[in-house]
Amino acid sequence: MNPHDHPHDHPHDHAPIESPADAAPSYYEVMETSIRELLVEKQLISPAEIRHQLEVLDSRTPALGAKIVARAWVDPEFRSRLLADGRLACEEFGITFYDDTKLIVLENTAKVHNLIVCTLCSCYPRPVLGLPPDWYKAKPYRARAVKEPRAVLKEFGTEIPEDVEIRVSDSTSMMRYLVLPRRPEGTENFTEEQLAALVTRDAMIGVITVNPVN
Amino acid sequence: MSSTEMLLKRLPNDIGGLPADRIVQTDHPLLPWEKRCHALADVLDFHKIINAEEKRRGVAALGSELMGKLTYYERWAAAFANILFEKGILHPEELALKMTEVERRRQMELAL
């Protein structure tokens, strides 16, 4: 039986399988197009704004976050500025934010490992990482990260030593977090670009660490 | 604690700390309409027509059955419609007429 066929009294937050792009538009796709066109007709929004925002969405990828992390690893003064005010430091890179969202950068150390989540919905440091992966928006991660972070990390293949504290930060629409992972050993001679190439999206969410270089 | 007391204290999206399944590392590239839906949400927020918090509440107001059955961006589209009706910016009838028009147009494009 399809698990979605039974009525439930609990929210399932994982998306059903998406329909292929070349099929006839779904009811909700038609609804989105219709809302957008009506608002354009009423001159409340413009097609140019939508186009521009699509370009902005495409421009935001975890590569931006990786650049920030690599710079923080090589430049102690930048690192201090980043930890003091994440948004201001990212704006030095020309990264644009929306409304008055705060970005708080959480530094992993030998004693603390950080993990970010949004238990209520899907708040995420979009200006520096782009859009969140589906699992970040789904119930298992949102429900369990705040309760049993070590078990959650294990499911990502990450084992954090018992003497390291795990801190979970729950995001809101006004307060987003980014994890500054630990610089792996063996990278002393790496260029900033080579360092950035090691930093992945999942390491900046905190579900994995940046792997040491062999 | 009685079951209704629990329901009262926890809105459907308030799931932090609840028991849940193992994590499956799912992801998919956004479909074009999903990306447009996201761009629309951002533009609505810039213009203070629907802000992020109103959108979140609009999704919660769909109720747990719909929330469980719709995909992420389907929930957003449905929430936008309801919020715009509530604010008197759109009327249900004009949306219905527009949807019929858009659907016809898309069917004609597909037939070409």
Side-chain angles (χ1 to χ4, degrees), chain A residues 61-63 65-66 69 116 124-125 128-136 156 178-179 181 196-210, chain B residues 25-28:
Chain A
T61 75
V69 168
I116 62 170
Y124 188 70
V128 282
L129 294 187
L131 300 178
D134 289 342
W135 59 259
Y136 183 89
F156 284 89
L178 180 77
V179 175
L198 300 175
V199 183
T200 61
R201 174 194 74 196
D202 290 359
M204 293 181 278
I205 297 174
V207 290
I208 62 169
T209 55
V210 177
Chain B
Q25 290 182 50
T26 46
D27 200 13
H28 79 283

Side-chain angles (χ1 to χ4, degrees), chain A residues 11 13 18 29 36-37 41-42 49 53 58 99 120 122 126 131 134-135 140 142-144 155, chain B residues 12-13 17 21 23 26-28 30 34-36 38 42 45-47 72 75 94 98 105-106:
Chain A
D13 211 25
E18 309 287 339
E29 176 175 353
R36 181 164 36 83
E37 290 187 4
E41 285 167 20
K42 291 175 193 285
E49 288 175 306
Q53 197 52 31
D58 280 336
D99 51 52
L120 289 179
S122 54
R126 289 194 270 139
L131 300 178
D134 289 342
W135 59 259
R142 288 168 47 201
R144 294 176 51 219
E155 288 168 29
Chain B
N13 66 314
D21 297 339
I23 288 148
T26 46
D27 200 13
H28 79 283
L30 291 195
E34 293 180 315
K35 202 182 274 186
R36 285 198 303 273
H38 202 111
D42 288 342
D45 187 35
F46 297 152
H47 286 290
Y72 189 74
R75 283 178 230 150
E94 71 179 327
K98 188 62 155 180
R105 201 170 70 208
R106 288 294 301 262

Side-chain angles (χ1 to χ4, degrees), chain B residues 10-79:
Chain B
R10 286 238 187 211
L11 291 173
N13 66 314
D14 186 9
I15 59 173
L18 295 180
D21 297 339
R22 274 182 73 85
I23 288 148
V24 182
Q25 290 182 50
T26 46
D27 200 13
H28 79 283
L30 291 195
L31 298 171
W33 87 268
E34 293 180 315
K35 202 182 274 186
R36 285 198 303 273
C37 194
H38 202 111
L40 176 63
D42 288 342
V43 172
L44 290 173
D45 187 35
F46 297 152
H47 286 290
K48 311 284 174 215
I49 298 171
I50 298 176
N51 68 30
E53 181 55 21
E54 288 170 324
K55 182 183 67 191
R56 194 187 64 70
R57 283 204 303 264
V59 168
L62 294 173
S64 53
E65 186 181 2
L66 254 187
M67 274 176 74
K69 287 180 176 169
L70 299 187
T71 65
Y72 189 74
Y73 288 102
E74 287 173 348
R75 283 178 230 150
W76 282 23

Side-chain angles (χ1 to χ4, degrees), chain A residues 110-112 149-151 154 158-166:
Chain A
K111 291 181 177 157
V112 176
R150 283 182 195 275
K154 264 188 195 153
T158 306
E159 299 238 17
I160 301 295
E162 280 300 323
D163 60 340
V164 175
E165 179 193 342
I166 298 188

